């Protein structure tokens, strides 16, 4: 064997070992996140006059906290169901690909459950309680959103401003499970409130943006039953990404249907100052609460991902 | 004519104990009734002149302003509306060219608020004011049916 052939062989072996180690081990960019949530059965404000509702929640708010990780990250999740609660609770992450029997089982009051998953696919995903009757646990507020950012940040246009909106149905009697099965909802909510982002309604706020900004809406439909036909009044979605994955890109969309338990990411670039209501164009839902006004003004201030969660009203 | 104090004492002394006790009871009841009536009247009077009750349901009325001089007169308009009976709060900053007025439900109406605004601006108005009505005008009550518009 000539020296050059020996050198080639050594290089091939070294390259193979390096490649193998890269494939087998965690990618260098990946992080591990410890995410802990507590099931809290508590009253929350649901409308602008301060009316409260006996909700079941993750961490005391409806929706629960936004979890945000990057594609490839590992999540070590722990759910605590305090002994002070009266009901079993559970957690089901749509961003995870793991055995549901073992990981998504309901735990009784006083118990804790932990599981681990890797967020392999980028997007916006639903999470919710899966304890029976699941329809009631979702209707009473045990849901939220997890954003898995793409590991390649250039996979889509950079957003100037981001919001998370979670749509859900509201049943004024939290114990009437039959009404939930019969789809007899009373209102439709964005981020747990009736007209929470409607400035022309008592107690209502708004979503802010500046002219020319790319506003990215991470939209989740918690249901439990109704479809959302998400539409920006006075605008057209520049892009819609099914499940929030940059690969699933649509362009120039007027409305986009998001079913219960699903999610999508919506980009809009508003050129002129003014009001642009974001609604479900299923009008019985919009006119009973699911209207969020995007108010575009040069004076717009920075805002959190989920403004007004929890909904704190001025003291009476 | 009139009796002297001594005369009243003398008269009282003439009553038997049972009669006396009945008289005191009647007087006490009359006094209590007068006091209750007075308290009720005072409360009603105070409530009718107080600002909007903090615990009453609120309603938000939106006025749209249009015209070159609106910025100049907006402060005056806000002050007039704040002083209107039944008004909790006036927000002139959240939505450009709009006033958001929180009122006590049932105590004043959108029409009343519009009248106050138009009266404040006067006849020769270079700032037009009208009630905000649009496709997103909606009912606010929990469980209320969608409005028929």
């Amino acid at each position: 064997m000539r020296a050059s052939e020996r050198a080639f062989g050594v290089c091939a072996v070294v390259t193979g070992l390096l490649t193998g180690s890269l494939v087998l081990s965690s990618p260098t960019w990946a992080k591990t996140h410890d995410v802990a949530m507590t099931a809290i059965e508590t009253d929350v404000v649901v409308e602008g006059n301060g009316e409260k509702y006996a909700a079941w929640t993750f961490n005391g708010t409806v929706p629960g906290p936004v979890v945000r990780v990057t594609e490839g990250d590992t999540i070590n999740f722990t759910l605590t169901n305090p002994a002070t609660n009266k009901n079993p609770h559970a957690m089901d992450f749509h961003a995870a690909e793991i055995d549901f029997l073992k990981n998504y089982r309901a735990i009784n009051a006083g118990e804790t459950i932990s599981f681990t998953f890797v967020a392999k696919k980028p997007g916006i995903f639903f999470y919710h309680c899966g304890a029976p009757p699941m329809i009631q646990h979702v209707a009473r507020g045990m849901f939220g959103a997890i954003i898995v950012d793409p590991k390649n940040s250039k996979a889509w246009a950079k957003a100037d401003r981001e919001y998370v909106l979670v749509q859900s149905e509201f049943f004024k009697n939290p114990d009437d499970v039959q009404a939930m099965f019969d789809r007899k909802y009373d209102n439709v909510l964005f981020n747990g409130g009736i007209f929470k982002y409607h400035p022309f309604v008592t107690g209502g706020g708004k979503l802010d943006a500046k002219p020319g900004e790319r506003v990215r809406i991470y939209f989740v439909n918690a249901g439990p039953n109704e479809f959302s036909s998400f539409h920006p009044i006075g605008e057209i979605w520049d892009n819609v990404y099914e499940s929030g994955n940059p690969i699933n890109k649509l362009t120039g969309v007027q409305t986009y249907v998001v079913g219960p338990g699903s999610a999508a990411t919506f980009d809009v670039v508003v050129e002129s100052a003014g009001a642009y209501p974001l609604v479900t164009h299923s009008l019985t839902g919009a006119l009973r609460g699911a209207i969020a006004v995007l108010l575009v003004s040069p004076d717009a201030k920075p805002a959190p991902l989920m403004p007004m969660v929890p909904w704190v009203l001025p003291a009476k | 004519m009139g009796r002297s104090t001594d005369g009243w004492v003398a008269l009282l002394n003439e009553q038997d104990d049972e009669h006396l006790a009945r008289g005191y009871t009647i007087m006490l009841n009359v006094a209590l009734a007068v006091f209750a009536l007075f308290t009720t009247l005072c409360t009603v009077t105070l409530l009718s002149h107080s600002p909007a009750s903090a615990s009453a349901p609120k309603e938000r009325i939106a006025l749209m302003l249009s015209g070159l001089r609106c910025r100049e007169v907006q402060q005056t308009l806000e002050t007039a509306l704040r002083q209107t009976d039944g008004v909790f709060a006036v927000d002139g900053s959240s939505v450009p060219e709009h006033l958001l007025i929180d009122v006590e439900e049932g105590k004043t109406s959108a029409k009343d608020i519009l009248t106050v605004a138009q009266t404040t601006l006067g006849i020769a108005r270079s700032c037009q004011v009208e009630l905000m009505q649009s496709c997103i005008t909606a009912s606010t009550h929990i469980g209320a049916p969608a409005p028929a518009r």
Side-chain angles (χ1 to χ4, degrees):
Chain A
M1 186 182 285
R2 286 182 297 187
S4 60
E5 287 172 338
R6 271 203 304 277
F8 177 80
V10 169
C11 283
V13 169
V14 170
T15 306
L17 286 172
L18 282 173
T19 307
S21 66
L22 279 173
V23 168
L24 292 173
S25 65
S26 295
T28 51
W29 65 81
K31 293 178 181 171
T32 298
H33 306 265
D34 294 326
V35 177
M37 290 194 201
T38 304
I40 299 177
E41 298 168 0
T42 185
D43 290 351
V44 297
V45 172
V46 291
E47 59 91 52
N49 262 310
E51 188 142 344
K52 290 186 175 178
Y53 175 76
W56 296 343
T57 73
F58 290 112
N59 286 11
T61 62
V62 179
V66 176
V67 178
R68 190 162 200 174
V69 300
T70 300
E71 178 186 358
D73 286 356
T74 298
I75 292 98
N76 296 324
F77 177 74
T78 300
L79 174 67
T80 300
N81 189 1
T84 48
N85 280 347
K86 293 176 181 170
N87 301 278
H89 295 294
M91 172 58 90
D92 174 342
F93 273 108
H94 284 203
E97 296 168 90
I98 50 175
D99 171 39
F100 111 95
L101 283 175
K102 178 185 168 191
N103 300 295
Y104 295 169
R105 66 185 171 83
I107 55 167
N108 291 317
E111 294 180 347
T112 294
I113 188 171
S114 297
F115 57 83
T116 296
F117 67 95
V118 177
K120 296 175 185 169
K121 296 182 174 68
I124 172 72
F125 297 93
F126 184 39
Y127 72 71
H128 62 94
C129 178
M134 190 168 86
I135 196 169
Q136 186 185 24
H137 284 252
V138 171
R140 288 183 76 151
M142 297 196 82
F143 52 76
I146 171 170
I147 300 169
V148 182
D149 288 318
K151 61 176 182 265
N152 176 13
S153 61
K154 294 179 179 171
W156 54 8
K158 184 179 179 302
D160 300 301
R161 194 177 288 259
E162 299 176 311
Y163 291 111
V164 171
L165 272 187
V166 184
Q167 178 177 321
S168 62
E169 294 112 64
F170 177 79
F171 300 83
K172 63 183 175 185
N173 181 351
D175 297 316
D176 191 352
V177 177
Q178 191 57 49
M180 296 165 191
F181 275 100
D182 294 341
R183 311 176 94 136
K184 289 182 178 172
Y185 61 89
D186 295 288
N187 297 88
V188 177
L189 317 180
F190 280 157
N191 287 351
I194 301 168
F195 298 122
K196 180 178 273 189
Y197 307 115
H198 193 325
F200 300 139
V201 173
T202 308
K206 56 194 166 64
L207 301 176
D208 292 301
K210 290 181 178 178
E213 283 187 331
R214 176 172 290 271
V215 181
R216 181 158 291 157
I217 310 286
Y218 297 96
F219 186 85
V220 172
N221 185 1
N225 304 311
E226 306 304 321
F227 283 68
S228 178
S229 185
F230 199 42
H231 169 70
I233 296 178
E235 260 296 346
I236 295 171
W237 299 118
D238 280 59
N239 299 110
V240 178
Y241 302 89
E242 172 57 46
S243 278
N245 191 323
I247 293 174
N248 304 332
K249 181 179 179 180
L250 299 172
T251 302
V253 181
Q254 58 191 303
T255 64
Y256 188 77
V257 176
V258 179
S262 193
T265 298
F266 296 78
D267 279 7
V268 65
V269 180
V270 178
E271 292 172 7
S272 309
Y276 300 85
L278 313 178
V279 303
T280 172
H281 221 295
S282 170
L283 295 179
T284 187
L287 296 176
R288 283 195 273 175
I291 296 173
V293 176
L294 183 67
L295 199 77
V296 178
S297 159
D299 306 325
K301 294 179 175 61
L305 272 174
M306 280 201 307
M308 301 168 66
V309 176
W311 198 350
V312 180
L313 294 162
K316 287 187 176 179
Chain B
M1 296 293 290
R3 292 169 186 269
S4 69
T5 307
D6 287 342
W8 279 113
V9 171
L11 181 66
L12 285 171
N13 285 340
E14 288 168 15
Q15 312 300 316
D16 59 47
D17 288 348
E18 189 183 343
H19 199 170
L20 189 65
R22 194 178 300 135
Y24 279 136
T25 305
I26 291 168
M27 284 171 67
L28 184 64
N29 283 340
V30 169
L32 283 173
V34 169
F35 178 74
L37 183 64
F38 177 75
T39 308
T40 307
L41 283 171
C42 286
T43 306
V44 169
T45 308
L46 279 171
L47 283 177
S48 66
H49 285 87
S50 67
S53 166
S55 58
K58 293 177 191 171
E59 180 186 355
R60 180 165 292 177
I61 294 164
L63 294 180
M64 187 167 67
L65 310 177
S66 54
L68 295 173
R69 288 194 59 219
C70 285
R71 284 196 175 192
E72 293 172 36
V73 299
Q74 185 168 331
Q75 200 59 46
T76 308
L77 200 51
E78 287 183 29
T79 304
L81 288 166
R82 278 194 193 96
Q83 291 169 348
T84 303
D85 198 27
V87 171
F88 284 103
V90 179
D91 173 5
S93 60
S94 288
V95 182
E97 295 161 3
H98 287 76
L99 294 180
L100 309 179
I101 303 120
D102 286 340
V103 304
E104 183 178 333
E105 204 171 73
K107 191 154 190 177
T108 188
S109 67
K111 194 178 168 187
D112 293 339
I113 292 296
L114 180 64
T115 303
V116 170
Q118 289 175 335
T119 306
T120 305
L121 292 172
I123 300 169
R125 294 192 294 268
S126 53
C127 175
Q128 301 294 320
V129 57
E130 56 191 307
L131 289 171
M132 167 66 191
Q133 289 284 328
S134 75
C135 64
I136 61 166
T137 302
S139 175
T140 58
H141 296 286
I142 289 179
R149 293 188 188 281

